[in-house]
Amino acid sequence: MEFNDNDVSSNIEDRRGFGPVGMGVGGLGLGGIAILIIGALLGVDPASLLNAVEQTQPPPQAQVQSHEGAPQDAPGHFAGQVLRSTERVWGQIFQQSGSQYRPPTLVLYDNATPSACGMGRAAMGPFYCPNDEKVYLDVSFFRDLQTRFHVPGNFPEAYVVAHEVGHHVQKLTGTFERAQGAGRAGAHGASSTSVRMELQADCYAGVWAHHAGEGMARISDQDIEQGLDATAAIGDDRLQRESQGYVAPDSFTHGTSAQRVRWFKRGIEAGDPGNCDTFSASPL
């Protein structure tokens, strides 16, 4: 994947090199850290666990430092280009529906950093925090895509950013609020709200790819195949089978490999967020 210009989003906080300010044993405490570790081993979504553990704790108040200007290193620069393309795509889509898109901020960090959803850690993988409308990314995850998940190319890296931005779209369109209001936001399982939220974000990432490939970037068939390989590699069933030797659908948080591929392809083919209604879909 190559972008047709060198434009990088200005909505970036590059905290790399400053360290996890105010971390200590974390705003979580030792018990919270233990829960996160156990949950990760069982294949439970760390971001949802983090939110549940820290609901009774105030968000960290530490002041964080960040580099000014666009990232100059290759991974940071590429992430900034992807973010800029999502701003253009979703800006146009929102405008067509008579509303205004409010872009999220991309936070690049090393190892750990405070967020309004608690202490973010690289082991959690990329995540979106609706409380501060920021996407958190330790770019070492890009390396993990190739070494751990065996997915080459840079399009899977773009998919990761676009997926998290998809969660921001859910925040802006009220999906987060509706899920929380129904009391189902933290539920797990093969047909749970959590899975439907994640599959919709996959579809939204596909919507981004559809429009980005129409003039903002050169996206080849090989790029698309690599993106589909990435979605398959991080399906709940595959990750659980690799980590614990069996599949436990009751603990699904993101959907199976087949589901993630199907919804991502649906977004790419249609380019219409209206086709991403995972909440009415049966079966998923």
Side-chain angles (χ1 to χ4, degrees):
M1 176 183 185
E2 293 184 4
F3 286 96
N4 295 330
D5 59 40
N6 204 35
D7 201 7
V8 176
S9 173
S10 60
N11 296 305
I12 296 179
E13 291 181 24
D14 190 352
R15 301 179 186 176
R16 294 174 296 174
F18 289 108
V21 178
M23 181 177 173
V25 290
L28 291 175
L30 294 177
I33 294 174
I35 291 173
L36 279 179
I37 294 173
I38 293 171
L41 292 175
L42 294 177
V44 179
D45 178 24
S48 62
L49 274 179
L50 183 68
N51 289 334
V53 171
E54 297 192 343
Q55 279 179 349
T56 59
Q57 302 181 22
Q61 300 299 316
Q63 296 295 316
V64 295
Q65 295 177 289
S66 62
H67 299 283
E68 295 183 0
Q72 298 302 309
D73 63 299
H77 184 83
F78 181 73
Q81 287 182 296
V82 176
L83 185 65
R84 179 62 183 134
S85 70
T86 65
E87 293 167 351
R88 291 171 172 167
V89 168
W90 289 110
Q92 293 171 0
I93 291 174
F94 271 60
Q95 185 177 39
Q96 290 168 1
S97 65
S99 56
Q100 185 173 359
Y101 180 66
R102 183 175 65 249
T105 297
L106 174 64
V107 177
L108 304 176
Y109 72 97
D110 294 316
N111 301 316
T113 194
S115 81
C117 294
M119 188 65 71
R121 294 173 173 80
M124 295 164 50
F127 69 96
Y128 171 71
C129 176
N131 296 342
D132 57 16
E133 298 189 355
K134 295 181 179 181
V135 172
Y136 290 82
L137 172 67
D138 183 323
V139 293
S140 65
F141 187 78
F142 289 169
R143 183 174 63 250
D144 291 342
L145 284 173
Q146 299 192 27
T147 59
R148 177 185 173 188
F149 299 110
H150 309 293
V151 180
N154 63 0
F155 185 78
E157 300 170 3
Y159 151 75
V160 168
V161 176
H163 172 93
E164 299 306 330
V165 171
H167 286 310
H168 179 63
V169 173
Q170 291 173 327
K171 164 70 183 292
L172 297 182
T173 55
T175 304
F176 266 101
E177 185 177 359
R178 288 191 294 272
Q180 292 173 347
R184 302 191 302 267
H188 296 160
S191 298
S192 66
T193 297
S194 173
V195 167
R196 293 177 188 274
M197 292 277 286
E198 296 298 336
L199 293 179
Q200 186 177 64
D202 282 333
C203 187
Y204 284 164
V207 170
W208 159 79
H210 175 97
H211 292 282
E214 290 183 333
M216 300 177 195
R218 293 182 290 279
I219 301 176
S220 67
D221 290 342
Q222 182 181 35
D223 290 327
I224 297 298
E225 287 302 317
Q226 290 172 344
L228 294 173
D229 289 343
T231 57
I234 53 180
D236 284 326
D237 53 340
R238 181 176 296 188
L239 291 175
Q240 288 185 352
R241 191 175 292 110
E242 291 175 353
S243 64
Q244 60 193 25
Y246 62 92
V247 176
D250 288 345
S251 64
F252 280 2
T253 59
H254 285 65
T256 66
S257 294
Q259 288 172 329
R260 301 199 70 170
V261 167
R262 182 162 61 252
W263 283 98
F264 185 46
K265 286 180 66 176
R266 186 167 182 168
I268 293 174
E269 293 169 356
D272 181 2
N275 284 15
C276 296
D277 184 8
T278 57
F279 294 91
S280 299
S282 181
L284 280 170

